[in-house]
Amino acid sequence: MQKTRASFSRCQLPPPLKPPDLLRVIVPSGTLREVDAFNRGIEIWRSRGYHVQLPHNWNAREGYLAGTDSQRRQQLLEACLDPKCRGILCARGGYGSARLLEDWTWPEQLKWLIGFSDITALLWSLAQIGVSGVHGPLLTTIAAEPEWSLKRLFDWVEGRPIAPLKGVGWGGGKVYGVLLPANLTVATHLLGTPLQPSLSGVILALEDVTEAPYRIDRMLTQWRMSGAMAGVKGIALGRFSRCAPPKDVPSWSVEEVLRDRISDLGIPVVSDLPFGHDGINAALPVGQLVELDAEVGTLSWVGG
């Protein structure tokens, strides 16, 4: 069973960004393949007035990783230690960020970290020391975001409030808690490790991609049987894209699996929220107080 931990506390926000602040790029996970999209993403931040600096080895490759662990860890360390750097932009996901966190200690720093998918490991680790990051578009995906989603991201990191997100409420009332967004697969592999924050008192926000329904079932069953769901106050579900069952194989749909594994937990759930892969990926602040209303289907940020 999962060890009892103190409730997850609200994280501290880094100082608001303002152009022409310096933002440093890291490629902490998979090797960069989407170079055109990557360049478009950099241009979006630069067109906003920010100075964006790339590491010299941004296009390194080591198997499926974007360079060796030491190369990628050094990118992260240099970005953290640079006193002029105010934010860290993750290039892409894939796999590999958790490898950087073995025997890792975050330097004393308070700066933005922005990304999602495999970047879940970095966001959760940063939240462990009480610093809020942003579960939001990567440099390789940001150019596909609609204008309102871009505005939402910039509003949040520049110190302005953001609007509620609307989804489909499953019922179960209204609850307040600290938001902990994650890719389900990455988060499942962090359970029981030092990178797992306390899940007591949190509202989970989960999304995933290219996972067959039975694998989603297997992961959620692990959460249930390990006791990881015991202290969770509510669940916000984003997009589970390309998660259709294999052809000609008897299966539930991913929606049916989510209902089967989550709806009996006795907590508020809101699904169909606009975040995740292959579509709108609205920015979600990590470790901030939110209200999840499963009667009207909203996820709202609580000020103060």
Side-chain angles (χ1 to χ4, degrees):
M1 295 293 289
Q2 182 190 24
K3 292 182 179 179
T4 301
R5 303 187 186 190
S7 295
F8 183 52
S9 300
R10 188 173 183 177
C11 294
Q12 185 176 358
L13 289 170
L17 294 177
K18 58 181 183 300
D21 282 344
L22 171 64
L23 309 175
R24 292 187 63 147
V25 175
I26 63 170
V27 195
S29 303
T31 187
L32 188 62
R33 303 190 302 270
E34 313 87 344
V35 177
D36 289 343
F38 175 67
N39 288 331
R40 289 196 299 272
I42 291 171
E43 182 52 35
I44 285 174
W45 284 95
R46 285 177 173 165
S47 68
R48 187 81 182 178
Y50 290 101
H51 176 49
V52 179
Q53 181 177 330
L54 277 66
H56 69 88
N57 53 356
W58 63 269
N59 59 350
R61 176 172 296 184
E62 185 75 12
Y64 40 75
L65 301 171
T68 64
D69 288 349
S70 61
Q71 287 176 319
R72 291 176 293 114
R73 189 179 289 112
Q74 188 65 25
Q75 290 179 11
L76 178 59
L77 182 62
E78 289 178 359
C80 289
L81 293 178
D82 184 348
K84 296 181 180 179
C85 173
R86 299 290 302 279
I88 301 171
L89 305 177
C90 297
R92 76 183 306 272
Y95 167 72
S97 68
R99 293 172 59 114
L100 308 185
L101 298 170
E102 291 187 272
D103 301 317
W104 167 266
T105 300
W106 288 96
E108 286 191 21
Q109 55 96 40
L110 192 61
K111 56 189 69 178
W112 295 96
L113 175 73
I114 302 171
F116 83 115
S117 192
D118 190 63
I119 309 305
T120 293
L122 297 181
L123 292 171
W124 276 28
S125 178
L126 195 59
Q128 285 274 54
I129 64 165
V131 178
S132 177
V134 181
H135 182 282
L138 299 155
L139 285 174
T140 50
T141 66
I142 191 172
E145 293 297 313
E147 187 60 35
W148 74 262
S149 179
L150 290 176
K151 181 178 184 301
R152 175 188 180 83
L153 173 61
F154 289 127
D155 278 346
W156 184 254
V157 298
E158 291 173 357
R160 296 181 292 276
I162 54 176
L165 295 177
K166 185 71 171 69
V168 176
W170 291 11
K174 181 191 301 184
V175 68
Y176 295 88
V178 178
L179 188 69
L180 188 61
N183 173 270
L184 175 61
T185 298
V186 177
T188 300
H189 289 92
L190 299 179
L191 294 180
T193 74
L195 301 183
Q196 179 203 323
S198 168
L199 299 173
S200 178
V202 308
I203 293 176
L204 286 174
L206 300 173
E207 62 83 32
D208 219 322
V209 62
T210 62
E211 296 290 350
Y214 78 90
R215 294 200 292 267
I216 299 291
D217 185 330
R218 181 166 58 198
M219 287 185 279
L220 291 174
T221 299
Q222 181 176 342
W223 280 72
R224 293 167 64 103
M225 294 183 68
S226 69
M229 287 293 190
V232 173
K233 297 179 71 175
I235 298 178
L237 296 172
R239 195 176 303 103
F240 285 73
S241 57
R242 287 180 276 158
C243 290
K247 291 182 179 179
D248 303 319
V249 175
S251 176
W252 283 326
S253 68
V254 69
E255 292 81 7
E256 289 171 324
V257 167
L258 292 170
R259 288 272 182 179
D260 179 77
R261 296 282 74 193
I262 290 175
S263 62
D264 67 343
L265 294 174
I267 58 177
V269 178
V270 175
S271 67
D272 296 271
L273 289 161
F275 68 90
H277 292 74
D278 298 337
I280 299 170
N281 189 25
L284 302 176
V286 178
Q288 299 301 297
L289 187 62
V290 297
E291 174 194 278
L292 187 71
D293 190 331
E295 301 302 327
V296 299
T298 55
L299 177 65
S300 309
W301 278 260
V302 180

